[in-house]
Amino acid sequence: MSGSPTNITDLGQALELSAATEARQALLRAWQDWSDGLFERADGPWAVAVADAAGLHLYRDPSGLASMYWARQADGNAAAAPDLATACALHGGPPRLAGPALHEYLRLLDVAAPATFCEAVRAVEPGCALRIDATRVTGGPRPPRSDSPTPGDFGTAVDELGGRLSTAVTTALAGAERPAAFLSGGVDSALVCALAARQGAGPVALTVGFDGQAFDEAPAAARVAAHLGLRHEVLRFGRRDCVAALDRLARGMDQPMADPTTMVTLLAFEHCHEHFDGVLDGTGADEAVGAMPPRHVRLAVEYGSRVPAGLRRVLVRAMARVPGLAGYTPILDFEHPAEALMRWQGFTRAEIEELCGEPVSLEDTTFYRTFARYPRHAHYERYSALLNAMPCDRLTQAMKLTGLRVRFPFCARDVDGFLRQLPTEWRHLPGQPKRILRELLARYVPRELWDGPKRGFTFPLHDFLAGDGYALLRQHVLAGRWLGRGLLRPGVVRRYAQAYIGGDRRLMFRVWALVVLGAWLDAHEDLTIPAPGD
């Protein structure tokens, strides 16, 4: 099992178990009584594997914040583990790198389930229940639960959301004597803090701060915390702290993922593990409420994608020479329209082929398959689905490495399922993203304290990479031991690092992907590297 249901007490009561029954025993009894009906009853980020005469049953809750991997053993039977290294060992023999996963990482800077970096191991996709026997894999996504009809009007929906989210916050803080809550100053975290404060829980509000106005959300968070009467702490970490965190992540995370905020997430979780016994986080709201991509992205997907690739290239070159049109080139400047919706711009397909020395296709990745499910005009539906498809591994891996108990009220079934069933116009209107969340927050915190441009949780990545004379690039890219293992072409790898050091900041996410990959590979030298085309 990975993680644990947040409503284990309720499950025990429904089964008429003693209050002293341990969680694993309660879940075993629940499986015996309810079989896979347990998956609809248990709540919170968790994943589980159950073996019986019918085979191996696997489940991972829709948040994806708890991991579960599986592999076939030498006898053909499947086995599962909550971490990738153990799952690789269950398969037997040295782990072998999966080439398609490497391609996905270089393009997207992470790898989404069911793919993993180990050729023989698959990850359970969020929200899926699988049954695996000696010959086949059956099952798939479980539909989100919604146990009540849609309210008759928007105001009633806001009332009901307030009640459901308040209950989820209460459940999340049950038993915590030293609670805390992350507060960025944005709508999601501010709403969680507001409901916790109204209940008298009084969590300490924590904000990760950065130097420079472009990245620092601490001032906005301080205003919200002061209005709610919460003690506010700003966690600031220096370069040395982040470099050490990168080293711990390289040694401990399941597979490479280059979310630039992962290091400070790990440092914040380590701090919380030492000082608090229950921590709230606003993750899950974006996925449940959904979002509309920016206008230029909508134009690229709906109209730019209709223009033949050769003509697009001609038009982009011509537009780039005209000052009034140069800013519109993103509408046409892409190989695949899915690129406009990616979180980070990694290497292009052609660049990956040059790096790897082999043909590359990304069509079977979770990101591209999700993109392809929607017609060109379905912008809100597509982007909302992609938010669910993109991993939150910085949280998953930071929890794994620290053992911190983090609770996510927006991921509670009664909250998540309720939000997803609401009409789109209650969740989003032009100029009013997260409409229902904003309306609820305005009841507790004046709009002028939070209703402004949202920076998002970002990290001063260029300053980090350039620090100490580009030391990270020199250590992990130019001189990394992994370059001698034949995974990527060393000359091409070094060319990217040297160009970035020379001033080409357009390559920032590409070289960052190489830094993380190099650090991880040098910490995992048991991984077998297949020859190109093998």
Side-chain angles (χ1 to χ4, degrees):
M1 184 169 67
S2 176
S4 179
T6 56
N7 64 335
I8 197 72
T9 300
D10 295 337
L11 297 177
Q13 290 175 349
L15 294 164
E16 298 182 349
L17 299 178
S18 164
T21 304
E22 294 183 355
R24 285 183 177 272
Q25 289 301 114
L27 291 172
L28 178 59
R29 172 65 182 279
W31 175 261
Q32 293 168 344
D33 283 18
W34 302 328
S35 185
D36 62 2
L38 166 63
F39 304 151
E40 273 68 51
R41 293 174 180 255
D43 206 352
W46 77 301
V48 67
V50 182
D52 62 14
L56 183 67
H57 305 264
L58 302 175
Y59 174 73
R60 187 180 183 192
D61 90 280
S63 75
L65 291 166
S67 299
M68 186 60 65
Y69 304 92
W70 69 274
R72 290 201 182 276
Q73 300 175 292
D75 61 4
N77 291 315
D83 65 275
L84 185 58
T86 302
C88 288
L90 290 170
H91 172 69
R96 178 181 166 95
L97 185 140
L102 172 65
H103 303 160
E104 180 177 353
Y105 168 78
L106 291 171
R107 186 68 189 94
L108 296 161
L109 274 65
D110 53 28
V111 177
T116 78
F117 246 64
C118 183
E119 195 174 71
V121 178
R122 305 294 278 172
V124 180
E125 294 183 75
C128 284
L130 306 177
R131 184 171 71 84
I132 308 170
D133 59 26
T135 61
R136 61 178 183 166
V137 179
T138 56
R142 304 288 284 243
R145 187 185 74 180
S146 178
D147 58 4
S148 65
T150 302
D153 59 79
F154 180 67
T156 303
V158 176
D159 293 339
E160 187 166 345
L161 174 61
R164 288 171 179 258
L165 191 55
S166 182
T167 298
V169 168
T170 300
T171 301
L173 289 176
E177 298 180 357
R178 294 171 291 122
F182 285 109
L183 176 61
S184 67
V187 173
D188 311 339
S189 60
L191 186 50
V192 168
C193 285
L195 292 172
R198 283 178 60 82
Q199 296 176 20
V204 175
L206 301 174
T207 304
V208 177
F210 300 103
D211 294 334
Q213 291 184 351
F215 300 95
D216 196 13
E217 296 184 311
R223 293 192 295 269
V224 173
H227 176 80
L228 296 173
L230 299 177
R231 180 159 66 90
H232 185 225
E233 293 184 4
V234 180
L235 306 179
R236 297 187 184 274
F237 305 108
R239 174 177 172 78
R240 185 176 298 179
D241 298 320
C242 292
V243 170
L246 175 62
D247 180 65
R248 292 194 293 279
L249 286 161
R251 287 183 280 109
M253 62 184 173
D254 285 335
Q255 56 193 357
M257 48 99 185
D259 183 334
T261 63
T262 303
M263 295 166 296
V264 291
T265 300
L266 177 64
L267 291 164
F269 280 22
E270 288 172 341
H271 173 87
C272 290
H273 187 266
E274 183 178 349
H275 295 92
F276 305 103
D277 62 353
V279 180
L280 300 177
D281 186 274
T283 295
D286 287 343
E287 293 81 353
V289 176
M292 182 71 78
R295 182 172 180 270
H296 75 277
V297 173
R298 302 197 299 271
L299 292 172
V301 171
E302 187 166 1
Y303 300 108
S305 62
R306 301 174 189 269
V307 180
L311 179 57
R312 283 205 311 272
R313 289 192 289 269
V314 171
L315 291 172
V316 166
R317 288 194 295 269
M319 292 166 65
R321 293 193 290 267
V322 181
L325 296 178
Y328 294 95
T329 56
I331 298 173
L332 297 169
D333 191 9
F334 54 81
E335 180 183 59
H336 191 290
E339 296 168 14
L341 293 159
M342 294 175 182
R343 287 187 289 200
W344 307 290
Q345 293 301 313
F347 294 93
T348 67
R349 183 181 59 82
E351 290 170 341
I352 298 170
E353 290 182 340
E354 184 186 21
L355 280 164
C356 298
E358 61 186 1
V360 169
S361 173
L362 300 163
E363 298 300 322
D364 196 41
T365 62
T366 295
F367 188 92
Y368 278 73
R369 285 189 288 107
T370 301
F371 179 92
R373 289 206 307 263
Y374 297 88
R376 282 189 173 93
H377 65 274
H379 302 296
Y380 180 84
E381 295 79 6
R382 178 191 300 105
Y383 193 44
S384 299
L386 287 170
L387 288 174
N388 285 272
M390 291 186 279
C392 286
D393 276 350
R394 69 177 179 89
L395 299 172
T396 307
Q397 297 303 308
M399 287 190 288
K400 168 195 167 186
L401 293 178
T402 61
L404 178 67
R405 177 194 176 215
V406 184
R407 296 304 187 192
F408 306 91
F410 281 106
C411 294
R413 286 185 182 273
D414 284 347
V415 176
D416 180 82
F418 176 75
L419 284 169
R420 289 178 188 272
Q421 66 155 355
L422 295 178
T424 297
E425 61 269 22
W426 292 2
R427 292 182 284 158
H428 174 90
L429 283 178
Q432 298 183 58
K434 300 184 180 179
R435 181 189 176 198
I436 190 169
L437 302 187
R438 289 170 173 269
E439 187 67 26
L440 182 57
L441 179 58
R443 297 181 177 185
Y444 310 126
V445 182
R447 287 184 182 271
E448 60 267 22
L449 296 183
W450 53 267
D451 195 6
K454 181 70 170 68
R455 294 187 179 90
F457 185 32
T458 53
F459 179 78
L461 182 57
H462 172 70
D463 292 343
F464 183 61
L465 288 170
D468 295 336
Y470 294 90
L472 289 171
L473 271 74
R474 300 184 190 283
Q475 176 184 355
H476 295 299
V477 182
L478 292 176
R481 296 189 307 277
W482 66 280
L483 289 172
R485 297 171 67 182
L487 179 63
L488 302 180
R489 291 172 166 170
V492 180
V493 169
R494 292 189 175 105
R495 188 181 74 208
Y496 280 103
Q498 290 161 350
Y500 185 71
I501 292 171
D504 191 348
R505 292 180 61 168
R506 296 173 301 174
L507 303 176
M508 181 173 69
F509 283 110
R510 291 170 172 84
V511 298
W512 173 236
L514 294 173
V515 167
V516 174
L517 177 66
W520 189 85
L521 285 170
D522 280 347
H524 295 80
E525 295 189 289
D526 60 330
L527 188 69
T528 299
I529 306 298
D534 187 359

